[in-house]
Amino acid sequence: MSFAVLESRLAALGARLEDLLTSEQQGWFAEFLGAGEYGLALEMLADWLSEDETPLPAEARTEALNLASEMGIQERVAGALALCPAQST
């Protein structure tokens, strides 16, 4: 996967979950993306959400796990997201 595609997918995921993040976290996420720190951006996103055991929409969880798998950080991201329950519809 190209870096442009990766950045685009991560940005879309961040936008989908921005209501679940503080403005400071949103800023850091954008900083990580801008610096090309894609693994760090995804890991931190998962950590921030897991800190409060934030319920996640199924499609966002799936995309985060797919990205993590493609980036080779599946275990790290999956462990954090395991603390986040499914969002009720």
Side-chain angles (χ1 to χ4, degrees):
M1 170 179 8
S2 74
F3 288 122
V5 170
L6 181 58
E7 184 173 355
S8 175
R9 287 177 62 191
L10 281 166
L13 179 63
R16 185 179 306 154
L17 297 173
E18 74 180 349
D19 291 344
L20 303 177
L21 301 174
T22 67
S23 59
E24 183 178 27
Q25 291 167 338
Q26 292 171 18
W28 278 110
F29 185 77
E31 289 276 334
F32 296 145
L33 288 184
E37 294 288 345
Y38 305 127
L40 181 59
L42 185 55
E43 287 178 357
M44 291 307 301
L45 181 64
D47 283 347
W48 292 324
L49 295 168
S50 71
E51 286 173 0
D52 295 323
E53 298 179 4
T54 305
L56 292 178
E59 67 278 353
R61 180 188 311 274
T62 299
E63 176 66 354
L65 293 174
N66 287 341
L67 281 164
S69 178
E70 292 174 35
M71 296 167 70
I73 55 173
Q74 170 77 19
E75 188 173 310
R76 172 78 173 82
V77 172
L81 294 183
L83 299 173
C84 299
Q87 186 177 59
S88 39
T89 54

